[in-house]
Amino acid sequence: MYKRQLQALSEKTRLKIPYLIGVDAAHGYGVLSGKTVFPTSISMAATFNRELVKQVYTAAAEEIRTNGNQWTFAPCIDITQDARWGRTGETYGEDPYLSGELVRNAVQGLQDNSDPQKRVAACMKHLLGGGASVGGCNHASAGLSERAVRTFFLPPFQAAIEAGGMTIMPGHNDVDNIPAHASKWLLTDVVKNEMGFKGFYISDMGDVENLRRIHHTAGYQKEAVRQAFDAGLDMHMYYDGDSSTLMRNHLQELVKEGRIPMSRIDDAVRRILKVKFDLGLFENRYVDVAADVKATKEHQELALNAARENIVLLKNSENLLPLAPGRYKRILVTGPNADNQAILGDWSNPQPDENITTILEGIREEVGSQAEVVYSNSGRVRGKVSNVKIETTDPVTQAKFLKEGGEISDFTIADAAEKAKQCDLAIVAVGGYGLRSDWGLRTYGESADRPSIDFYGRQEELIRAVCEAGIPVIVVIVNGKPLNNEWTTKNVPAIVDVWEPGMHGGKALAEILFGKVNPSGKLPITVPQHAGQVPMYYYQNASRYTTGYGL
């Protein structure tokens, strides 16, 4: 309803130009409750399936547009060369060709509907080099040569432009010491003029301001605006202020002073208006509230099929998998990601429980009455602040601590170890956590970079304790960036990487574990043995788990 109200306000403006409403819908409209949450981009890259990517984005476009949005700030096509970077899960990995093929289909899925009222403008981001930033840190510098830029980082953007991508978002970082938002060579000379980009640039949130706050190329806001728009920026996304103080008044003054030519303003306006025309906004700017599409049966089935294809079997010694139905009578399921919504990944908020199949739920559903599934709540990867302050072994107090969001502890490790002794198979779901609603508890995602690629916290201790029971153990890794734990790799007989498989990832995993579905996913990015090998990517040096690997 409020989006209709927004558009009503646009009719009260001088020229009555409709608003273009954008949203962060990276893999389905996952930030909104009740929508379909598809596997994330890194997960979809593991499918190596162009047509599936197109189908997913076509379905996502329907749910985005019928909610009153005409624009999504996706897909992210950074090439990732540093496994520590928290935003790896938003990308298609490290290979320029794979990324280019998948983004081409993503753009077509969003934009190619014959009915303009059903199109969603894509926003390819981030131009350029964030996945090669120093230390794997968001906003950090990318020391890239022009040859590296053209060979590895620009090809996905070229593919997106050829597919008709309507908008591009420059990166937070600088490239060879020139901030992307102030690089006329990159924005105008190369991408607009050489590569033929006909859409418009939107700044990333606050990055015009960051020309003075982080990059220090501008001493004051007016100069930051001048640098950005002179470089080729067309639209300003701001925060911590308003347009009149951060952009509009400064831009008007710069035009009057002759420091920004009117032709540059005309070019930006022409590009923005063309996108609005191509989206059918001038024919009808209003959304039909009653037509809002939410997680239909067809879309959920598509999400499940995508999850089935994105899961990668990393290790299967002694042919432990697939599990024969009925062979194991008591199955332990534990781990911080066994019964939560971590499978949704970043750019997701919690969804209704009835819309999600967790790993525990998927295994229980698949096993049915053929075996008893025993659950041990291990606690979170990274715990919430608890009101339980007393150091105690009292199980009642410890249970309360877990209920409040406690992390893996001596108590939970002991509980899992004891239950493992009473079972004949264990499945341990570990990895990372990236839900956007738990901003400070994430171990990857935007501005959640880590110096390590090992499992966070006490997850290795939990795995070791379960293995000491002497039963077969399967480790399931939920992750939005490459993770590797050397002890687990060497000692656990079966390892499955599910990436961030979306709302029905638990069901897809269970079908693979029990042999209903053959694992077909392949790694879209190299997994180094440890952080000391970073940066590492397959066209630089081969690794044990490299792009294209999967049993």
Side-chain angles (χ1 to χ4, degrees):
M1 178 63 74
Y2 76 90
K3 290 166 187 173
R4 288 183 61 87
Q5 295 170 342
L6 279 176
Q7 293 291 10
L9 292 175
S10 72
E11 297 208 68
K12 297 179 180 179
T13 61
R14 181 172 63 91
L15 298 177
K16 298 180 173 55
I17 296 171
Y19 293 146
L20 176 60
I21 302 175
V23 65
D24 282 300
H27 48 104
Y29 202 168
V31 294
L32 188 65
S33 179
K35 294 285 187 173
T36 307
V37 184
F38 295 99
T40 59
S41 291
I42 196 71
S43 311
M44 292 302 300
T47 71
F48 281 70
N49 189 331
R50 300 174 180 87
E51 182 59 31
L52 184 60
V53 168
K54 185 175 181 178
Q55 291 172 8
V56 163
Y57 275 95
T58 299
E62 183 180 15
E63 297 194 16
I64 294 166
R65 187 70 192 249
T66 59
N67 191 256
N69 312 286
Q70 310 88 27
W71 186 19
T72 179
F73 302 124
C76 176
I77 51 176
D78 285 292
I79 295 299
T80 303
Q81 294 185 344
D82 194 317
R84 297 168 296 182
W85 190 45
R87 305 191 74 168
T88 299
E90 296 182 49
T91 78
Y92 293 121
E94 67 187 8
D95 183 69
Y97 178 75
L98 176 63
S99 297
E101 289 299 293
L102 297 187
V103 71
R104 190 188 304 273
N105 283 272
V107 169
Q108 290 171 353
L110 288 168
Q111 296 184 179
D112 278 8
N113 199 298
S114 58
D115 183 354
Q117 298 288 325
K118 295 181 180 179
R119 297 172 188 161
V120 171
C123 182
M124 295 77 70
K125 63 182 188 181
H126 305 86
L127 185 74
L128 168 141
S133 55
V134 174
C137 294
N138 209 32
H139 289 268
S141 299
L144 301 172
S145 66
E146 182 176 348
R147 179 178 179 181
V149 166
R150 291 183 178 275
T151 302
F152 304 117
F153 296 88
L154 280 177
F157 286 93
Q158 181 69 67
I161 290 168
E162 291 172 359
M166 293 182 178
T167 70
I168 292 177
M169 182 182 291
H172 297 302
N173 55 289
D174 64 75
V175 179
D176 198 20
N177 297 316
I178 305 296
H181 279 74
S183 176
K184 191 169 187 176
W185 172 79
L186 179 62
L187 301 188
T188 298
D189 297 345
V190 174
V191 177
K192 283 185 175 179
N193 295 342
E194 284 187 33
M195 295 169 62
F197 176 52
K198 303 301 183 185
F200 70 83
Y201 287 115
I202 170 74
S203 68
D204 206 340
M205 190 171 71
D207 272 339
V208 173
E209 292 67 50
N210 286 339
L211 294 177
R212 58 182 173 83
R213 290 187 297 208
I214 294 178
H215 299 290
H216 306 294
T217 60
Y220 46 94
Q221 183 64 18
K222 183 177 177 179
E223 174 59 16
V225 171
R226 187 201 67 77
Q227 289 181 12
F229 280 86
D230 182 63
L233 188 69
D234 301 299
M235 183 182 287
H236 178 222
M237 184 193 296
Y238 57 87
Y239 77 110
D240 192 24
D242 60 58
S243 178
S244 63
T245 59
L246 292 177
M247 188 274 286
R248 190 172 63 224
N249 291 348
H250 296 310
L251 196 56
Q252 288 173 343
E253 291 176 6
L254 289 165
V255 171
K256 289 179 181 178
E257 295 165 1
R259 300 175 67 196
I260 293 289
M262 195 64 200
S263 59
R264 177 74 271 276
I265 304 301
D266 290 341
D267 176 61
V269 171
R270 184 184 303 110
R271 290 169 178 271
I272 294 168
L273 287 177
K274 184 180 185 303
V275 168
K276 292 184 178 185
F277 274 112
D278 289 345
L279 293 171
L281 279 167
F282 283 92
E283 287 73 26
N284 180 19
R285 69 190 73 195
Y286 293 103
V287 64
D288 180 359
V289 177
D292 190 16
V293 175
K294 289 187 175 183
T296 64
K297 181 180 179 181
E298 293 76 17
H299 290 180
Q300 291 196 50
E301 185 64 27
L302 179 60
L304 174 60
N305 287 334
R308 288 168 175 151
E309 292 196 28
N310 88 237
I311 294 174
V312 182
L313 179 58
L314 293 179
K315 184 180 180 182
N316 190 28
S317 63
E318 302 175 8
N319 293 319
L320 176 57
L321 297 174
L323 301 172
R327 178 178 178 181
Y328 300 99
K329 299 301 182 183
R330 299 193 86 224
I331 301 173
L332 171 67
V333 178
T334 188
N337 288 330
D339 194 31
N340 64 5
Q341 295 193 12
I343 52 176
L344 300 181
D346 193 13
W347 291 111
S348 300
N349 285 322
Q351 297 294 319
D353 289 339
E354 62 270 19
N355 284 12
I356 307 299
T357 308
T358 69
I359 289 172
L360 175 63
E361 291 168 346
I363 292 169
R364 280 182 168 158
E365 179 183 321
E366 188 63 34
V367 167
S369 61
Q370 297 183 78
E372 178 186 359
V373 176
V374 178
Y375 175 58
S376 174
N377 183 356
S378 71
R380 299 172 61 104
V381 172
R382 189 174 184 179
K384 293 183 177 180
V385 176
S386 174
N387 292 324
V388 180
K389 304 296 184 183
I390 302 171
E391 293 292 335
T392 178
T393 57
D394 171 46
V396 175
T397 306
Q398 292 287 350
K400 184 178 180 182
F401 176 71
L402 285 176
K403 187 176 181 180
E404 292 184 8
E407 59 191 36
I408 299 172
S409 64
D410 291 343
F411 174 80
T412 62
I413 292 173
D415 182 72
E418 183 60 33
K419 288 177 178 175
K421 295 174 184 177
Q422 303 162 23
C423 296
D424 46 12
L425 176 75
I427 300 170
V428 187
V430 295
Y433 185 83
L435 253 69
R436 191 146 283 247
S437 55
D438 287 330
W439 186 264
L441 302 177
R442 300 171 308 139
T443 60
Y444 63 86
E446 183 177 11
S447 298
D449 315 302
R450 287 182 58 216
S452 171
I453 63 165
D454 208 335
F455 296 158
Y456 183 90
R458 303 183 66 181
Q459 296 183 85
E460 181 186 323
E461 292 180 61
L462 175 67
I463 297 168
R464 283 176 178 258
V466 172
C467 287
E468 286 175 2
I471 60 176
V473 175
I474 302 165
V475 165
V476 176
I477 305 173
V478 180
N479 56 322
K481 56 181 281 187
L483 293 176
N484 184 60
N485 175 263
E486 278 295 285
W487 190 91
T488 300
T489 299
K490 291 177 181 177
N491 295 283
V492 173
I495 304 173
V496 182
D497 192 337
V498 300
W499 294 103
E500 302 163 305
M503 64 195 305
H504 293 309
K507 180 175 177 62
L509 170 67
E511 291 176 341
I512 286 173
L513 293 180
F514 287 91
K516 277 191 175 180
V517 174
N518 192 51
S520 60
K522 306 296 180 184
L523 291 179
I525 189 169
T526 296
V527 181
Q529 292 188 40
H530 49 74
Q533 290 186 308
V534 173
M536 191 173 196
Y537 32 96
Y538 83 93
Y539 40 89
Q540 170 217 39
N541 192 20
S543 176
R544 173 186 52 208
Y545 292 149
T546 196
T547 291
Y549 176 88
L551 298 178

